[in-house]
Amino acid sequence: MKRRLLLAVVLGLATGLGGETLLFLQRQCRLIEGSLREDFRVLLYLKSDVDAGKQKVLEERLRALPDVDEVRVVSRQEQLAALRRDDPELVDSVMLVGENPLTPVFEVRLSEAAIARVAQWLLKAESLGEFSDVRYKSAQVQALLQAQFYARFIDLALAALFGLAAALALAGRWTLRQSRPL
């Protein structure tokens, strides 16, 4: 009887430690995923400067695409000011050539579901206007998808662990009931 009790305690401790470890890893995966998702943006650079009316129409068309959470237009002046904050020497050397060479950019924040299908989304977005360049961090997409995969895998492992713990508890209870005299 003491041996069975010791075995039950050891199995309980192992199950508890395994469960807590998986819960910790699950939380870390969710935090990483959230951080990567919050930081992810697609930048669509226009080929040339367009008037405010066309820019607003293009912004609304981008906003109307599926899975778009937010669209923000960053003007030439805003980009130059940000560049001036980050690297003033570069701005000075660029301004020697002439006026501001930057073109407006649309900064698009996608929904969680669209990140896995970013290539398909880009095809739709590029068909809306004349963009000179489209940029996003492909390594960030890959890391985000891996974090989602690991979080779901850990969910599966937790479910299996809790199912195993419940089965062991039921088996132990059944064994105790069978060993008692009637």
Side-chain angles (χ1 to χ4, degrees), residues 21 54 162:
T21 301
K54 284 185 180 179
F162 289 134

Side-chain angles (χ1 to χ4, degrees), residues 161-172:
L161 183 67
F162 289 134
L164 177 65
L168 286 173
L170 288 173

Side-chain angles (χ1 to χ4, degrees), residues 67-172:
D67 299 318
V68 172
D69 282 349
E70 179 184 341
V71 176
R72 185 173 86 90
V73 180
V74 183
S75 69
R76 297 168 49 165
Q77 294 77 19
E78 287 177 274
Q79 290 180 62
L80 191 61
L83 192 57
R84 191 172 306 247
R85 277 191 314 271
D86 296 341
D87 195 353
E89 291 175 7
L90 179 64
V91 172
D92 292 339
S93 63
V94 168
M95 294 308 282
L96 288 175
V97 175
E99 65 180 58
N100 185 351
L102 302 172
T103 59
V105 63
F106 290 95
E107 186 179 274
V108 181
R109 191 163 157 242
L110 299 175
S111 68
E112 181 180 347
I115 293 174
R117 301 181 316 268
V118 71
Q120 292 89 351
W121 185 90
L122 284 175
L123 291 173
K124 292 176 187 174
E126 287 176 329
S127 69
L128 296 179
E130 294 186 23
F131 299 106
S132 64
D133 197 11
V134 176
R135 294 190 182 215
Y136 68 96
K137 298 175 185 172
S138 58
Q140 187 176 11
V141 171
Q142 185 178 7
L144 185 63
L145 294 176
Q146 284 177 342
Q148 288 175 347
F149 169 77
Y150 291 133
R152 287 186 178 101
F153 182 75
I154 291 170
D155 289 344
L156 179 65
L158 273 170
L161 183 67
F162 289 134
L164 177 65
L168 286 173
L170 288 173

